[in-house]
Amino acid sequence: MTLTSSLIQAPGISQLPPLALYIHIPWCVRKCPYCDFNSHAAGPELPEAAYVAALLTDLDQELAAVQGRVITSIFFGGGTPSLFSADALGRLLRGVEQRIPFASDIEITLEANPGTFEQDKFKAYRQTGINRLSIGVQSFQPAKLQALGRIHNGEEAIRAAGMARAAGFDNFNMDLMHGLPDQSMDDALGDLRQAIELGPTHLSWYQLTVEPNTVFWNQPPELPEDDILWDIQEAGQGLMAANGFGQYEVSAYAQPERAARHNLNYWRFGDFIGIGAGAHGKLTYADGRIVRTWKTRLPKDYLNLAKPFKAGEKQLPEDELPFEFLMNALRLTQGVEAQLFTDRTGLPLARLAQARRLAEQRGLLQVEPDRLVATPRGQLFLNDLLQYFLT
């Protein structure tokens, strides 16, 4: 069953954006020292049934935001969603579809850790309708995996790709990090070559950063110097391009027609409902309001039905919309069509005119009247570019 997006009457916005669903499952086997996501070490038993019930009740409270749309993509993030059984995720997906129609070509992605791979389990995931995996490899090298606190080894990561394909997944991403402690150019490119050999359709390749509220923040590892990081970045991008992986976002590379549709929706300022402990959402309403929401973070509070799921929300004021839109759109290497700014925010393109001229003069934004695209220099200094659009 499919529906078209509802037309709305708000000034400047002719049609609601596409709608996606993000589902957060907050448990991991153990917390990695670099991770600042809302994740918590799992106990001996996961409260699958209670959490699925809570997720569906949470979704029930968001249904007014659907406004006649279908769900174009679903992303199970975490944490490690692959700790949940296929039965639990299947029940959840059936419950979601009973509430909101799925697009006929819906993309449903599950984040998975190589240490959680079991052939029968992943075959069952595929049978539930999950059609894309994102495998958190980070590295294939024992010393690097140990430094990152990962629970898998390189051989398990290699086997995971084969098991994914055998389970029926012909579309999967591999997450890899570079700029790891004591990592050389050969180390970084070796990880990339190994990943490419395994035949993923998508690679997420990003530099390790030390974030507040992590173990690494309090006990910083020794990371490669900037010159080495720059050389790794250039060589890695060249290697992926030579193997058919086109860069379409700051840290995302894909085979033709295999870009992550769920993430593209984020970067193109689409809408998404967020359910689960700590999940965030962004929703456009028929009266033109654009609202960001966030849910309570601690699993025990999320599962306490006496407490609200929603921890807060913020309507984006008009003067913040240019920055909010471009913070996402300019991450795309090809940018976006300029008209999308008006389509998504309801503001006239003229609102950007002065800042665009200044950014173009500084060589940070391409001089393209019909598109909003960062120059290669602008991609490198994206934070500097975005400052022009703060009001």
Side-chain angles (χ1 to χ4, degrees):
M1 178 179 180
T2 60
L3 298 173
T4 56
S5 296
S6 298
L7 293 179
I8 61 177
Q9 303 302 315
I13 299 178
S14 60
Q15 194 172 44
L16 288 171
L19 180 67
L21 175 66
Y22 174 76
I23 302 172
H24 193 78
I25 296 180
W27 292 282
C28 285
V29 174
R30 69 171 178 235
K31 183 86 168 178
C32 294
Y34 59 86
C35 179
D36 68 337
F37 296 151
N38 184 38
S39 59
H40 307 265
E45 289 190 18
L46 290 172
E48 284 190 343
Y51 196 69
V52 167
L55 287 167
L56 292 174
T57 304
D58 187 357
L59 182 60
D60 284 336
Q61 296 178 12
E62 298 281 7
L63 293 181
V66 176
Q67 301 171 96
R69 289 175 287 183
V70 301
I71 297 179
T72 59
S73 65
I74 297 174
F75 194 100
F76 288 95
T80 306
S82 54
L83 291 177
F84 266 39
S85 68
D87 179 66
L89 297 187
R91 280 187 284 112
L92 176 56
L93 285 173
R94 289 192 295 274
V96 172
E97 191 171 17
Q98 287 167 3
R99 290 160 171 81
I100 313 174
F102 287 4
S104 59
D105 61 347
I106 189 170
E107 174 192 271
I108 306 178
T109 302
L110 177 77
E111 285 187 338
N113 188 309
T116 67
F117 264 72
E118 302 166 20
Q119 187 65 61
D120 289 344
K121 184 178 181 181
F122 278 78
K123 185 176 180 180
Y125 284 147
R126 185 68 188 88
Q127 291 169 346
T128 69
I130 295 168
N131 53 23
R132 184 176 182 271
L133 293 179
S134 182
I135 305 172
V137 174
Q138 314 313 349
S139 177
F140 294 93
Q141 299 165 32
K144 302 298 183 287
L145 290 168
Q146 185 175 4
L148 293 172
R150 303 296 290 174
I151 65 168
H152 67 273
N153 59 41
E155 286 301 314
E156 287 175 316
I158 291 170
R159 286 198 299 271
M163 291 169 68
R165 196 173 290 105
F169 291 96
D170 62 356
N171 187 16
F172 66 93
N173 168 66
M174 284 189 155
D175 270 348
L176 288 171
M177 284 185 178
H178 61 92
L180 305 181
D182 299 317
Q183 187 179 50
S184 66
M185 170 81 78
D186 287 344
D187 291 337
L189 295 185
D191 277 343
L192 268 180
R193 289 190 185 98
Q194 177 63 83
I196 290 168
E197 185 179 317
L198 296 172
T201 52
H202 191 285
L203 290 169
S204 297
W205 191 61
Y206 48 93
Q207 183 180 323
L208 171 64
T209 55
V210 177
E211 303 289 352
N213 302 314
T214 65
V215 172
F216 276 0
W217 183 261
N218 296 314
Q219 303 170 32
E222 187 171 341
L223 302 180
E225 295 180 357
D226 288 345
D227 286 349
I228 295 173
L229 292 173
W230 176 251
D231 290 343
I232 288 173
Q233 181 80 20
E234 282 196 316
Q237 289 175 335
L239 176 62
M240 285 185 283
N243 284 275
F245 288 88
Q247 183 181 15
Y248 67 97
E249 189 267 344
V250 171
S251 58
Y253 305 77
Q255 295 285 345
E257 307 300 321
R258 292 297 196 173
R261 281 187 276 154
H262 188 84
N263 290 340
L264 279 173
N265 187 56
Y266 288 154
W267 297 321
R268 289 177 60 83
F269 214 52
D271 278 1
F272 55 99
I273 294 171
I275 59 173
H280 286 241
K282 176 255 171 185
L283 297 163
T284 305
Y285 289 89
D287 59 8
R289 288 177 301 129
I290 299 175
V291 178
R292 290 202 181 276
T293 64
W294 53 95
K295 303 299 170 65
T296 186
R297 289 176 58 84
L298 292 178
K300 68 179 180 63
D301 291 336
Y302 186 83
L303 288 167
N304 183 346
L305 298 182
K307 296 187 175 183
F309 295 114
K310 188 178 291 184
E313 65 177 40
K314 176 188 176 182
Q315 180 179 341
L316 296 179
E318 185 178 300
D319 61 359
E320 292 182 14
L321 287 175
F323 179 85
E324 287 277 339
F325 176 86
L326 291 166
M327 178 177 63
N328 292 281
L330 293 180
R331 290 182 63 90
L332 294 167
T333 56
Q334 300 302 312
V336 296
E337 58 275 24
Q339 179 61 34
L340 191 69
F341 173 74
T342 296
D343 293 345
R344 294 288 191 263
T345 68
L347 300 177
L349 195 56
R351 185 68 175 264
L352 302 179
Q354 183 177 357
R356 285 180 79 179
R357 282 194 297 272
L358 290 172
E360 289 167 358
Q361 289 167 6
R362 303 298 192 281
L364 299 174
L365 201 66
Q366 298 276 22
V367 182
E368 292 191 35
D370 296 332
R371 295 193 68 78
L372 295 164
V373 191
T375 63
R377 176 180 169 80
Q379 285 279 321
L380 287 174
F381 299 100
L382 192 55
N383 288 338
D384 293 337
L385 169 54
L386 290 171
Q387 295 305 307
Y388 289 100
F389 298 95
L390 281 172
T391 56

